[in-house]
């Protein structure tokens, strides 16, 4: 269950980073709505990380959380913000995804002593 919470927390990390990007592009009162979305997403993301880290090793939980955030934010950047999507960028995003899957595969779900 905590892996699911951690994945959701990582997705909210993508949301708060995306809100910052949209706030940068927005004008008028829309800026405040994007910042409000940032604060809500940030809070949910952090609370999810805290909850998941209660049973998962903190190093694994943090690495997976930041990895989901990094890959997701890079993909949103490519798809929404028209960031470059050249071969090496996609290659290294793929290796990051492989690393996240590898951390899940070698984790026992509890604290290693």
């Amino acid at each position: 269950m905590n892996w699911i919470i951690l994945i959701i927390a990582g997705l909210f990390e993508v949301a708060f980073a995306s809100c910052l990007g949209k706030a940068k592009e927005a004008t008028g009162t829309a800026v405040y709505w994007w910042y409000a979305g940032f604060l809500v997403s940030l809070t949910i993301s952090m609370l999810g990380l805290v909850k998941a880290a209660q049973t998962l090793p903190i190093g694994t939980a943090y690495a997976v959380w930041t990895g989901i955030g990094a890959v997701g934010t890079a993909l949103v950047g490519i798809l929404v913000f028209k960031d470059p999507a050249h071969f090496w960028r996609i290659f290294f995003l793929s290796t990051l995804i492989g690393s996240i899957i590898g951390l899940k595969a070698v984790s026992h779900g509890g604290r290693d002593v």
Side-chain angles (χ1 to χ4, degrees), residues 61-75:
Y62 185 73
V64 170
W65 180 75
T66 57
I68 291 169
V71 170
T73 302
L75 291 175

Side-chain angles (χ1 to χ4, degrees), residues 18-73:
S18 299
C19 286
L20 285 178
K22 293 302 277 185
K24 187 172 75 171
E25 294 178 348
T27 59
T29 58
V31 173
Y32 299 112
W33 287 107
W34 286 113
Y35 283 132
F38 163 78
L39 291 173
V40 169
S41 298
L42 176 67
T43 302
I44 294 169
S45 182
M46 290 294 170
L47 290 173
L49 176 61
V50 168
K51 176 66 177 158
Q54 289 175 348
T55 58
L56 300 174
I58 187 63
T60 300
Y62 185 73
V64 170
W65 180 75
T66 57
I68 291 169
V71 170
T73 302

Side-chain angles (χ1 to χ4, degrees), residues 49-99:
L49 176 61
V50 168
K51 176 66 177 158
Q54 289 175 348
T55 58
L56 300 174
I58 187 63
T60 300
Y62 185 73
V64 170
W65 180 75
T66 57
I68 291 169
V71 170
T73 302
L75 291 175
V76 167
I78 291 168
L79 299 172
V80 175
F81 298 107
K82 307 301 182 217
D83 290 349
H86 52 75
F87 171 79
W88 288 111
R89 187 168 190 183
I90 302 301
F91 173 78
F92 287 115
L93 286 172
S94 300
T95 62
L96 187 52
I97 292 167
S99 297

Side-chain angles (χ1 to χ4, degrees), residues 94-110:
S94 300
T95 62
L96 187 52
I97 292 167
S99 297
I100 293 167
I101 293 168
L103 282 171
K104 167 65 172 109
V106 300
S107 177
H108 296 70

